Amino acid sequence: MARGNTRQRIQDVALELFAEQGYEKTSLREIAERLDVTKAALYYHFKTKEDILVGLFHDLTRPMDELIVWAREQPRTLETKQEILRRYQVALADAAPLFRFMQENQATVRELSVGLTFKERMLELSGLVQEPDFAMKDKVRCISALFTMHAGMFFMQNVEGDPEEKHEAVLEVALDLVAQAHGA
Amino acid sequence: MARGNTRQRIQDVALELFAEQGYEKTSLREIAERLDVTKAALYYHFKTKEDILVGLFHDLTRPMDELIVWAREQPRTLETKQEILRRYQVALADAAPLFRFMQENQATVRELSVGLTFKERMLELSGLVQEPDFAMKDKVRCISALFTMHAGMFFMQNVEGDPEEKHEAVLEVALDLVAQAHGA
Amino acid sequence: MARGNTRQRIQDVALELFAEQGYEKTSLREIAERLDVTKAALYYHFKTKEDILVGLFHDLTRPMDELIVWAREQPRTLETKQEILRRYQVALADAAPLFRFMQENQATVRELSVGLTFKERMLELSGLVQEPDFAMKDKVRCISALFTMHAGMFFMQNVEGDPEEKHEAVLEVALDLVAQAHGA
Amino acid sequence: MARGNTRQRIQDVALELFAEQGYEKTSLREIAERLDVTKAALYYHFKTKEDILVGLFHDLTRPMDELIVWAREQPRTLETKQEILRRYQVALADAAPLFRFMQENQATVRELSVGLTFKERMLELSGLVQEPDFAMKDKVRCISALFTMHAGMFFMQNVEGDPEEKHEAVLEVALDLVAQAHGA
DNA sequence: AATGAATGAGACTTCATTCAT
DNA sequence: AATGAATGAAGTCTCATTCAT
């Protein structure tokens, strides 16, 4: 019925399933069945299974890339770092399923071509919120701020409370951490 | 030739491979070959592949269980919580490969019998470092303290510096976070 | 090369082997080899091994089903019952290998989904050739008539004589038995 | 605890399981577990799995052998044949599980060393209740009498009524059949 | 743009059997 | 009289992938 959008639909379903069950446990048969197409159809749109993941990654990771590009050009002030965190939270929320997937499938993803890229980005980002001459404790604070954001996205679902409120509390804690690292 | 240690050797090799490549990607053939036994020998010692994981989990998770038991009986003071963090860091270090595995294979592990247990433990632990009447921000601080510990174990490997020093910095940041939550 | 008949060919070979060696002893490898296909090809056409059997059963059992449907609508006279026996003999002959298989693999087949169905059919049929108010001895006669038909199909192969003649003798004995049950 | 009787216990359990699930589907592990012994223990008492079956067969088949031996020496009168049927019914009842097993596992048992023997015995027996110069229809009657006995043992369980009464009805029908064959 | 049919590799698992103790 | 440990063969099944149509 619908046509040009098959590629997109494949990605949508794939992401959903990858996030839910993991990459290895999700078979192409499953994806195809859920779309009511044959497996062979998937191969018309993507060269391999990994390719589906790579496609997803490229599409959904752009905000994070743009964040990094933007951040690199800013002065390395506390304000910049706090803005990075704010933007990171937004990027995280927008691509939540992908990040959840990345978080929960590290072992699998590690040796996929995409894996390196992701780790590199995290390292890059962590480099942009700390300073080389920081004391170790302050470096840890900055990294912790980043991971607080992650915990905020995933573990906090288990904590009761208004989502908006949780969201803000998470951001505040993270902002505090970099502020403290900057000697506030 | 065969000594009573085969069961242990299986667990050792399995943990190593599970941590390195993930659970799904590690085949029983691989484990068996590395031990120079047949696959069938694995089945003499463990009923299923999952059972190997369950065995590992039971053995390596005991310190965390004991920590929870101990913590439940303590007064819910700041000092207790800080002691929990200290002990948690030790437990984490002792069973580092298992925790790394758990962290990196969440998607896979989620539907294994072991998965629930692990999540429950994390929730229990997070319940023991916060208080129900805390402001949301303080709750987040406490949870963040826990996750800082995780980041400390795994992501911090990518940060250069003396391991001992990093270790302590991580602990300090975590201790600070609960202290702040307690209004210090 | 591949024509649309593969599914049918699988069933043919499977029935042959199931009847010859039994269900458990017949491996999918064997079936595949005899067809010069891979095992995986079997799984393209049938979801499981049991499914091959279920397919066979559905296809070959139709005459018996139709017989039951027809019989239910007839008046419960002696003539009807004798006609049932005549038709049963034909149905039996048409699906001889399947019936032989069912007969000789009862233990195996009992817990397959197909098993119940088969027993139910036999019970149904036996209900259609006897009457509830018959004396026990007459009930036994009717059941015996049915089983005479089975013996006729399988054990009689060991008795020498013209097949056509045996066939008729078997039918006559069965017809006599119901006739006697009806007080002839 | 108990000792000399292990061999017997193995046979008991094995027969029970063979009859219930079939020979192929019953594993030595299952037998061993039910006896609370190791598989290796079974091998102390029996050389192979088939050997367990052979043992059972030899033990439980004796009455049938004795019946054949006895029958061979009797005059080939109607009375003798009817006595054969009476005795066969008793033999059948005494070794019901074994006969049920034989009946329901013909395909499996066929190529076991024991299989031939069983078929031979059935042929022998069928030779003793008919006469070479009988008309085909009368031969069928005699064979039918034998199979009525089998149906009586197994299928009749599905017919309601007093067991004793069913038992007798079955015998009467069988006796009638040979009587008719003899021109009664 | 997609299907139907098939493959080759490999997964987990079970089994009957052996043998030193 | 029986166990603990292990093996080799085989089984069912699933998967990513291919290719002619």
Side-chain angles (χ1 to χ4, degrees), chain A residues 136, chain B residues 89 161-170:
Chain A
M136 184 59 79
Chain B
Q89 195 176 34
D162 172 53
E164 199 50 43
E165 194 195 344
K166 292 193 282 185
H167 199 248
E168 270 173 35
V170 164

Side-chain angles (χ1 to χ4, degrees), chain B residues 84-172:
Chain B
I84 291 176
L85 289 173
R86 271 184 221 103
R87 293 185 181 210
Y88 188 48
Q89 195 176 34
V90 174
L92 229 40
D94 284 353
L98 179 70
F99 281 102
R100 183 177 162 220
F101 168 77
M102 287 278 150
Q103 183 89 21
E104 295 188 345
N105 289 269
Q106 290 176 66
T108 296
V109 148
R110 197 167 338 131
E111 55 227 31
L112 267 41
S113 55
V114 144
L116 242 196
T117 326
F118 186 69
K119 194 175 195 169
E120 277 165 7
R121 272 161 223 212
M122 282 306 301
L123 281 169
E124 174 86 32
L125 209 52
S126 93
L128 288 164
V129 288
Q130 33 164 319
E131 298 296 327
D133 60 341
F134 270 6
M136 184 59 77
K137 187 170 173 184
D138 288 324
K139 287 184 179 170
V140 171
R141 278 192 174 109
C142 295
I143 290 169
S144 182
L146 239 33
F147 278 79
T148 296
M149 229 99 247
H150 290 177
M153 279 263 73
F154 308 114
F155 187 79
M156 289 295 290
Q157 289 174 343
N158 302 306
V159 176
E160 60 182 36
D162 172 53
E164 199 50 43
E165 194 195 344
K166 292 193 282 185
H167 199 248
E168 270 173 35
V170 164
L171 180 57
E172 281 174 42

Side-chain angles (χ1 to χ4, degrees), chain A residues 24-25 104 110 144 148, chain B residues 24-25 104 110 144 148:
Chain A
E24 314 272 10
K25 290 256 292 235
E104 295 188 346
R110 201 171 328 135
S144 182
T148 296
Chain B
E24 315 271 10
K25 293 258 292 228
E104 295 188 345
R110 197 167 338 131
S144 182
T148 296

Side-chain angles (χ1 to χ4, degrees), chain D residues 1-162:
Chain D
M1 227 144 255
R3 81 255 47 162
N5 60 343
T6 299
R7 197 189 142 91
Q8 185 58 50
R9 287 171 60 229
I10 293 172
Q11 284 186 319
D12 292 348
V13 167
L15 178 53
E16 197 178 328
L17 290 173
F18 288 168
E20 193 181 311
Q21 324 177 336
Y23 176 77
E24 314 273 8
K25 290 258 290 237
T26 302
S27 68
L28 295 185
R29 177 176 56 66
E30 224 171 337
I31 298 175
E33 261 168 22
R34 221 188 272 198
L35 288 168
D36 209 38
V37 228
T38 45
K39 275 182 289 170
L42 305 184
Y43 279 88
Y44 179 80
H45 294 282
F46 296 93
K47 240 180 22 225
T48 67
K49 185 186 180 186
E50 189 174 342
D51 217 43
I52 300 181
L53 183 56
V54 171
L56 277 169
F57 189 76
H58 277 237
D59 290 6
L60 291 170
T61 227
R62 195 154 336 166
M64 194 171 168
D65 287 343
E66 287 166 4
L67 171 55
I68 289 173
V69 167
W70 173 87
R72 279 212 201 96
E73 291 166 349
Q74 303 310 113
R76 301 186 63 96
T77 64
L78 171 57
E79 282 68 36
T80 295
K81 283 163 195 164
Q82 293 187 322
E83 182 60 18
I84 291 176
L85 288 174
R86 272 185 220 101
R87 293 187 179 207
Y88 188 49
Q89 195 177 33
V90 173
L92 228 39
D94 284 354
L98 179 69
F99 281 103
R100 184 176 162 218
F101 168 77
M102 286 281 154
Q103 181 91 17
E104 296 189 346
N105 290 269
Q106 291 176 66
T108 297
V109 148
R110 199 169 331 134
E111 52 228 30
L112 268 39
S113 54
V114 143
L116 245 194
T117 327
F118 185 68
K119 195 171 196 173
E120 278 163 7
R121 273 161 224 214
M122 280 306 300
L123 280 169
E124 174 85 33
L125 209 53
S126 94
L128 288 164
V129 288
Q130 34 166 316
E131 297 299 327
D133 60 342
F134 271 5
M136 183 59 78
K137 186 170 174 185
D138 288 324
K139 288 184 180 171
V140 171
R141 279 194 173 107
C142 295
I143 290 170
S144 183
L146 239 32
F147 278 80
T148 296
M149 230 100 247
H150 289 176
M153 278 264 74
F154 307 114
F155 187 79
M156 289 294 289
Q157 289 175 343
N158 302 306
V159 175
E160 60 182 36
D162 172 54

